[in-house]
Amino acid sequence: MMLTIPDVLDPQRLRQCRQALEQAEWTDGRATAGHQAVRAKRNLQLPSDSPLAAQLGEAILEALSRHPRYLAAALPLKVVPPRFNRYEGGGEYGDHIDNAVFSVPGTPHRIRSDVSSTLFFSDPDEYDGGELMVQDTYGEHRVRLPAGHMLLYPGTSLHRVTPVTRGTRYAAFFWTQSLVREDSQRALLLELDDAIQALAVQVPDSPELQRLTGVYHNLLRRWAQT
């Protein structure tokens, strides 16, 4: 399941984050790449121990904790603190699949990467190239979202970032361990939840709403892993 989460950050917070990223000190992104990925990765990242990365990451997670669309789609159990990258001057990241498990820096915790997320801090007209290319069972998808919008996609997906040939592409990226491990089950729950929300507006007094809500929670109870 691929899904756009709109307006993760309000305009003021988005502007503050963007200004901070423009003034930040960046390091070679290959420092955090695995043995295979290091040959495909050519970008800049904020250091994992950067106080700025921690501050901006907390702002993103706080916003997502109140975003109903993210909560309904990802069903988050644990989240890897957001990281930040910068692409320019031909920078790219070739085909790769994200690690299955990530360690949380400075802690003994490990998180399974069920859902990958990319939050854009640059508008599409600010740069050329830099498309996030994600492959799934329906083919390859080319994604360039407005600043403040985020893409969710399965952590199992083969994906890449095409070369940025003009301007600068800023983004945050992170992973979520979901209460529901299987992507197909999360997609089914989201579709059911969307239908329940629509019926609640159209026929708020229908007794069938209670039954459907019960079906949703019984499926979640059956599939959830805590």
Side-chain angles (χ1 to χ4, degrees), residues 43-65:
N43 66 3
L44 299 173
Q45 286 186 203
L46 291 186
S48 58
D49 59 352
S50 164
L52 176 61
Q55 177 185 350
L56 298 182
E58 288 176 5
I60 292 171
L61 295 182
E62 195 276 331
L64 287 174
S65 72

Side-chain angles (χ1 to χ4, degrees), residues 21-157:
L21 292 173
E22 290 174 346
Q23 300 170 8
E25 295 185 7
W26 298 83
T27 59
D28 191 334
R30 289 175 295 183
T32 61
H35 175 69
Q36 295 294 328
V38 71
R39 295 181 293 180
K41 189 175 186 180
R42 191 156 62 91
N43 66 3
L44 299 173
Q45 286 186 203
L46 291 186
S48 58
D49 59 352
S50 164
L52 176 61
Q55 177 185 350
L56 298 182
E58 288 176 5
I60 292 171
L61 295 182
E62 195 276 331
L64 287 174
S65 72
R66 296 179 284 102
H67 201 297
R69 196 61 175 162
Y70 168 75
L71 297 174
L75 297 170
L77 175 63
K78 304 175 185 177
V79 183
V80 178
R83 305 176 186 184
F84 299 85
N85 56 26
R86 172 177 175 170
Y87 290 86
E88 59 190 1
E92 62 180 319
Y93 198 164
D95 284 334
H96 64 286
I97 294 177
D98 294 331
N99 292 347
V101 177
F102 286 90
S103 296
V104 178
T107 77
H109 303 300
R110 296 189 294 175
I111 295 176
R112 189 181 64 240
S113 58
D114 297 324
V115 181
S116 297
S117 300
T118 296
L119 172 60
F120 290 79
F121 283 99
S122 300
D123 281 314
D125 62 359
E126 295 184 81
Y127 60 96
D128 292 333
E131 292 94 349
L132 177 58
M133 309 291 291
V134 183
Q135 293 187 19
D136 64 11
T137 55
Y138 300 103
E140 188 170 64
H141 305 269
R142 182 185 299 263
V143 182
R144 281 162 49 101
L145 297 180
H149 288 36
M150 185 172 76
L151 183 73
L152 297 186
Y153 53 101
T156 54
S157 301

Side-chain angles (χ1 to χ4, degrees), residues 189 192 196 208-223:
L189 285 168
L192 180 56
I196 291 170
E208 308 307 323
L209 273 173
Q210 185 175 3
R211 294 178 62 187
L212 286 175
T213 301
V215 170
Y216 175 91
H217 285 287
N218 284 333
L219 286 174
L220 181 58
R221 183 177 293 109
R222 177 182 291 270
W223 291 337

